[in-house]
Amino acid sequence: MESLLETFRNLDLSQKILYGVGCAAVTTVSFVALRKLTQKEKRKEYPRDTVILHQIGRGPYAPSMTPFAVKLETYLRMARIPYQNVHGMQPSPKGKVPWIEYNGQPIGDTTLCINCLNQKLGVDLNKRLSPADKGIAQAMQVMTEEHLYWLLAQIRWLYSRDASFILETFKFSKFFLWMIRRHIRKQTWSQGLGRHTEEEVVEMMYKDFQSISDFIGMKKFLMGDDPCEADCSLFGMLSQAYWQFNGSGFESLIKDKYPNLAAYCERMKEAFWPDWDQCITHGGTREATK
Ligand SMILES: N[C@@H](CCC(=O)N[C@@H](CS)C(=O)NCC(=O)O)C(=O)O
């Protein structure tokens, strides 16, 4: 020990700095490795053949504040697949939420989760659709998830007139909200829709809602009398705008301007969420508009 200290004292400044950086790197790597090891030890044993659905906590007026969690859980219910919720902030191996584990296999991205379960369990919620209708359903789903989602994200997170709902729901500090907004600004800028003005974003949102509303018309579900896979996605997204768009300035938009979409939301809720009131945190279903 003594000779080690002596050697250290005899080093010049740059060698001492190099030595310090080396020590810090070794300590960090050991700490991370140790954490990973202990985490692995603590890894939970889940029942076999049950989907473990990792998602953030319940939402105040819909079962989640993320449309993708409502989508995935609705799919599990529609396909009657046994599942267990694990609420928390742990992201998928792809860095997003929600995600699933199935017999020890983690799967990220809701569409990939659904594809994998369809394949493993022989589920096909689109079996009554013609090839042309499958094409339309896919286009509607992609518009909902990859276009409308980013518009609604900007309206909820960036343009909200009143952020108190978000602050209270997520128990965020103002600083954390600022960080989330920064993250969403960066994401939407890279995606492209974040480069538009607020007016342009709002106009695009109207156009998406109008297209979906016109397409559904008087049908019960997106593609007719029977619900299909894309309904999970659509319902997940609409559930946010219909039930929990508080503070956005568009709280009553669906109810006032697109009554067939409001009826659709209620129909999906009735068909797949008989326990809705137990799955929301606000105690009792809120009227869609104030
Ligand atoms: N395509 C993904 C989208 C999931 C998604 O965007 N989740 C959001 C929450 S609504 C998220 O995890 N955001 C964190 C981030 O992007 O860093 C899926 O279907 O799972």
Side-chain angles (χ1 to χ4, degrees):
M1 189 70 186
E2 199 72 356
S3 66
L4 201 71
L5 281 175
E6 192 56 37
T7 320
F8 186 73
R9 262 186 229 117
N10 291 336
L11 297 176
D12 65 26
L13 186 63
S14 60
Q15 285 171 317
K16 278 181 181 162
I17 291 174
L18 211 65
Y19 186 83
V21 170
C23 283
V26 170
T27 314
T28 312
V29 169
S30 320
F31 178 73
V32 171
L34 204 71
R35 259 198 86 179
K36 277 222 176 298
L37 272 174
T38 47
Q39 265 175 358
K40 211 167 200 153
E41 262 168 35
K42 272 196 236 153
R43 198 183 159 85
K44 273 200 135 173
E45 282 301 317
Y46 293 117
R48 273 197 77 74
D49 302 328
T50 298
V51 171
I52 306 304
L53 172 53
H54 293 269
Q55 59 166 313
I56 60 170
R58 290 300 191 193
Y61 303 113
S64 176
M65 282 290 282
T66 145
F68 294 100
V70 179
K71 167 193 170 184
L72 196 46
E73 198 166 350
T74 303
Y75 161 83
L76 292 167
R77 288 166 174 238
M78 201 183 273
R80 297 172 196 272
I81 297 173
Y83 72 95
Q84 196 176 300
N85 277 312
V86 173
H87 291 285
M89 296 305 281
Q90 193 189 351
S92 77
K94 295 191 174 180
K96 298 232 181 196
V97 288
W99 57 287
I100 62 165
E101 275 179 274
Y102 188 65
N103 292 340
Q105 181 191 356
I107 310 161
D109 190 279
T110 54
T111 299
L112 296 185
C113 294
I114 291 174
N115 291 350
C116 177
L117 292 172
N118 283 348
Q119 202 212 337
K120 277 190 196 300
L121 305 175
V123 173
D124 184 2
L125 299 176
N126 292 338
K127 62 173 178 270
R128 290 196 187 86
L129 302 185
S130 68
D133 280 351
K134 280 183 190 166
I136 295 170
Q138 164 75 0
M140 281 286 170
Q141 177 166 333
V142 173
M143 176 178 78
T144 302
E145 293 186 13
E146 307 296 342
H147 191 256
L148 182 57
Y149 168 70
W150 292 111
L151 303 173
L152 298 188
Q154 288 182 89
I155 289 167
R156 173 187 273 173
W157 291 99
L158 306 182
Y159 310 148
S160 268
R161 301 286 172 260
D162 173 11
S164 56
F165 171 68
I166 287 177
L167 289 170
E168 281 159 25
T169 303
F170 289 102
K171 313 268 180 292
F172 282 169
S173 64
K174 285 198 172 147
F175 175 67
F176 200 64
L177 178 63
W178 176 82
M179 285 197 1
I180 302 263
R181 283 181 161 160
R182 197 164 155 262
H183 182 60
I184 291 188
R185 218 166 265 126
K186 272 188 177 175
Q187 282 187 316
T188 52
W189 180 266
S190 306
Q191 192 270 351
L193 289 170
R195 295 168 195 236
H196 305 315
T197 64
E198 183 176 338
E199 290 68 35
E200 287 164 341
V201 166
V202 168
E203 202 184 313
M204 288 179 188
M205 172 194 71
Y206 277 120
K207 200 162 182 184
D208 281 2
F209 280 144
Q210 190 63 55
S211 313
I212 299 167
S213 170
D214 289 343
F215 182 72
I216 290 192
M218 297 311 287
K219 295 200 292 288
K220 277 170 75 179
F221 298 102
L222 184 67
M223 301 307 298
D225 283 343
D226 300 305
C228 68
E229 214 175 87
D231 281 294
C232 304
S233 166
L234 181 60
F235 177 64
M237 206 62 62
L238 291 181
S239 70
Q240 304 305 308
Y242 181 53
W243 279 291
Q244 41 191 22
F245 223 14
N246 310 43
S248 67
F250 293 100
E251 293 85 348
S252 62
L253 177 73
I254 301 267
K255 191 175 178 188
D256 294 345
K257 205 165 157 53
Y258 310 104
N260 69 332
L261 296 186
Y264 168 86
C265 285
E266 297 290 349
R267 201 173 296 124
M268 285 290 290
K269 176 186 152 198
E270 207 177 305
F272 300 106
W273 291 87
D275 54 343
W276 183 272
D277 285 352
Q278 287 83 61
C279 297
I280 58 176
T281 58
H282 217 264
T285 308
R286 167 178 165 269
E287 267 271 294
T289 56
K290 286 196 216 143

